[in-house]
Amino acid sequence: MRKFLVAGNWKMNTNRQSGVALAAEMAAVAKTGEPGVEVLVCPPYPYLLPVADALKGSAVSLGAQDVYFEAPGAFTGAVAVEMLKDCGCQYVILGHSERRHVMGETDEVINRKVRAALRGGLKVILCVGELLKEREGGLTEKVLDTQMQGGLADVSEQDAGQIVIAYEPVWAIGTGVTATPEQAESAHEHLRKWLTSRYNATFSGQMQILYGGSVKADNAESLLGQSNVDGALVGGASLKAASFVPIIEAARKLWK
Ligand code: 13P
């Protein structure tokens, strides 16, 4: 059975004090590793080190929200894979809809980042998802196929073993409108089929596919209870332990 991954994407939120306090609360909730549920937090770059300190000795994993694909050098403002590793990151989120639609990242740029991160030994959470107008136009699966094909270009089966997919319909991000469990399951099933045809059924069956988009305490269990939903990538609700912990608890309950 695939493990659950419950990941908090803090986006451009928190400060040093509140980020460290939140990390310490998460560390207390996930003190020891559990077989079925991994907890991950992804703070902004400047807080990676103090958050890593606060997580020390716990089972909470650390991730970043983006990375640049070049090796260290003259790239003002950019952060390299080696630097994230040096700060204690195991994961990096790539292809998030805000990077795609606010910062204008293309599938080609995302793919370069994916390959650089994997080369450098980071696990990748590759985000894909359609806009509302694409869903309404019946284009959801086509958009997902294009983003998967672009993001995973030239990624071998062996390397892809370090990838987690996150399905985040753009219309559900930060809007309070969540995909129904059926909508999520249908997209996840489609993604798994895509993975089967690109790689193979064994590999596809092992890959974690997270759902993201207005995940909250009251919808977590029904979303995570879908057979192809292997966790959640949580934005707003990950900024307070009181709203994030119930999502972790929902995964723990389903795992039992
Ligand atoms: P919200 O949970 O705030 O909708 O954000 C989802 C998201 O974008 C996580 O990466």
Side-chain angles (χ1 to χ4, degrees):
M1 193 174 166
R2 293 179 296 269
K3 277 180 24 166
F4 285 112
L5 174 62
V6 181
N9 174 9
W10 295 0
K11 307 194 180 183
M12 199 170 73
N13 293 297
T14 69
N15 57 31
R16 185 155 48 131
Q17 195 185 13
S18 66
V20 166
L22 178 56
E25 285 184 277
M26 299 326 302
V29 169
K31 270 199 221 83
T32 52
E34 289 177 69
V37 182
E38 181 179 359
V39 179
L40 164 69
V41 294
C42 302
Y45 287 144
Y47 309 136
L48 285 171
L49 280 177
V51 164
D53 267 351
L55 296 178
K56 231 171 236 154
S58 80
V60 181
S61 303
L62 181 68
Q65 301 171 18
D66 186 34
V67 75
Y68 196 50
F69 48 74
E70 292 286 1
F75 301 100
T76 303
V79 172
V81 172
E82 289 85 335
M83 297 170 185
L84 296 185
K85 294 275 292 179
D86 199 20
C87 291
C89 289
Q90 293 105 337
Y91 283 89
V92 63
I93 298 170
L94 293 174
H96 191 277
S97 87
E98 287 139 24
R99 306 275 340 159
R100 291 177 188 268
H101 300 296
V102 183
M103 280 79 167
E105 284 190 12
T106 60
D107 283 319
E108 195 199 335
V109 165
I110 293 162
N111 176 250
R112 291 183 77 177
K113 293 181 172 188
V114 167
R115 287 185 290 130
L118 294 173
R119 229 180 5 254
L122 282 175
K123 294 182 188 170
V124 169
I125 299 182
L126 175 63
C127 303
V128 295
E130 81 286 1
L131 298 165
L132 182 58
K133 65 171 188 283
E134 292 166 337
R135 172 162 284 266
E136 288 173 346
L139 295 172
T140 299
E141 294 186 351
K142 190 163 176 282
V143 170
L144 296 182
D145 291 352
T146 304
Q147 292 177 346
M148 292 288 280
Q149 196 144 8
L152 294 175
D154 296 322
V155 175
S156 68
E157 181 183 336
Q158 195 186 351
D159 290 342
Q162 298 306 305
I163 292 182
V164 173
I165 303 294
Y167 170 60
E168 298 207 310
V170 182
W171 46 273
I173 296 178
T175 57
V177 180
T178 317
T180 63
E182 295 72 27
Q183 283 173 321
E185 175 62 13
S186 149
H188 284 224
E189 206 179 347
H190 178 78
L191 289 167
R192 208 174 294 286
K193 278 198 196 124
W194 188 92
L195 288 164
T196 302
S197 62
R198 165 67 196 271
Y199 297 100
N200 57 66
T202 312
F203 173 84
S204 161
Q206 288 163 353
M207 191 166 244
Q208 288 171 306
I209 307 180
L210 315 184
Y211 170 79
S214 298
V215 178
K216 308 252 177 308
D218 60 5
N219 58 30
E221 196 175 329
S222 57
L223 287 161
L224 298 184
Q226 301 302 306
S227 56
N228 282 294
V229 179
D230 309 311
L233 182 54
V234 186
S238 73
L239 294 172
K240 294 250 177 310
S243 45
F244 194 44
V245 173
I247 300 170
I248 298 168
E249 294 295 350
R252 285 176 174 167
K253 186 171 155 196
L254 287 161
W255 180 260
K256 279 176 189 150

